[in-house]
Amino acid sequence: MKKKEIVDDVTVKRAITRITYEIIERNKNLDNIVLAGIKTRGVYIAKRIQDRLKQLENLDVPLGELDTKAFRDDIKTDENTTAMPVDVSGKDIILVDDVLYTGRTIRAAIDNVVSLGRPSRVSLAVLVDRGHRELPIRADYVGKNIPTSESEEIEVHVSEIDGEDSVSIINPD
């Protein structure tokens, strides 16, 4: 198994900053935004976006944590550790995740958000889009597009969990 780092900590920081600027540019009413990090690493990426919005726009954007397991079609569990600090009804929800792959996690995240209320809009920010969609889902904000083969994996490390920020590609050969 070969592992190759393709994005370092500086590039991760730049990608998150770029996503934040795109969010600012594309959203007329920043006061209506709620960030929803998808557990686990999406929460930390969302927190960094939240911090950058505070720095750049002096804006305190609410941040929720979405647990998608209870809404997955391939995992059966009743446990749901979702924590949303505000009512999502009428809000512009920005889902945040580390890697966009088949789209199934995002579908589950949308189901979770809709179970909490009726947002006016849902958009998606991802650090890495690796392709290979199984559902018609695309990201509105992308840090890095990294084309992969089906046999490869993308591994995202965030310093809050892993002690470093990086994105690696793992090739089973």
Side-chain angles (χ1 to χ4, degrees):
M1 186 177 318
K2 295 181 204 154
K3 180 176 172 179
K4 180 182 175 192
E5 183 179 290
I6 51 177
V7 177
D8 63 8
D9 59 339
V10 173
T11 310
V12 168
K13 185 175 181 177
R14 284 183 186 143
I16 291 171
T17 298
R18 187 173 54 256
I19 288 169
T20 305
Y21 276 113
E22 288 180 19
I23 289 170
I24 292 167
E25 289 170 9
R26 292 189 203 167
N27 290 276
K28 304 282 185 258
N29 186 3
L30 292 172
D31 293 329
N32 205 41
I33 289 176
V34 175
L35 295 172
I38 298 172
K39 291 189 175 185
T40 297
R41 284 169 179 77
V43 173
Y44 296 103
I45 295 166
K47 175 72 175 125
R48 293 183 195 186
I49 293 170
Q50 180 190 43
D51 292 344
R52 294 294 284 146
L53 284 167
K54 177 72 173 162
Q55 289 173 341
L56 298 169
E57 296 291 317
N58 197 27
L59 192 67
D60 287 315
V61 175
L63 170 63
E65 299 182 9
L66 291 179
D67 183 351
T68 60
K69 287 189 204 87
F71 296 87
R72 297 280 306 214
D73 56 10
D74 56 348
I75 300 171
K76 294 295 172 221
T77 182
D78 291 331
E79 182 185 5
N80 185 354
T81 60
T82 293
M84 189 59 66
V86 295
D87 182 2
V88 300
S89 297
K91 298 290 187 185
D92 293 332
I93 307 297
I94 300 176
L95 302 174
V96 182
D97 205 3
D98 56 350
V99 178
L100 176 56
Y101 181 33
T102 62
R104 295 189 178 279
T105 299
I106 305 308
R107 185 213 45 86
I110 292 169
D111 286 351
N112 190 340
V113 167
V114 171
S115 78
L116 301 171
R118 186 182 170 134
S120 64
R121 188 172 58 145
V122 177
S123 56
L124 174 61
V126 295
L127 184 60
V128 175
D129 184 345
R130 63 167 289 190
H132 305 289
R133 223 69 80 238
E134 294 175 5
L135 298 171
I137 290 174
R138 69 168 180 79
D140 301 280
Y141 312 99
V142 178
K144 284 282 186 196
N145 282 295
I146 302 175
T148 61
S149 72
E150 288 279 354
S151 64
E152 293 172 322
E153 289 182 34
I154 294 286
E155 184 177 85
V156 173
H157 285 165
V158 292
S159 58
E160 295 89 342
I161 299 172
D162 309 300
E164 67 172 2
D165 290 336
S166 67
V167 178
S168 298
I169 192 161
I170 299 172
N171 196 324
D173 299 343

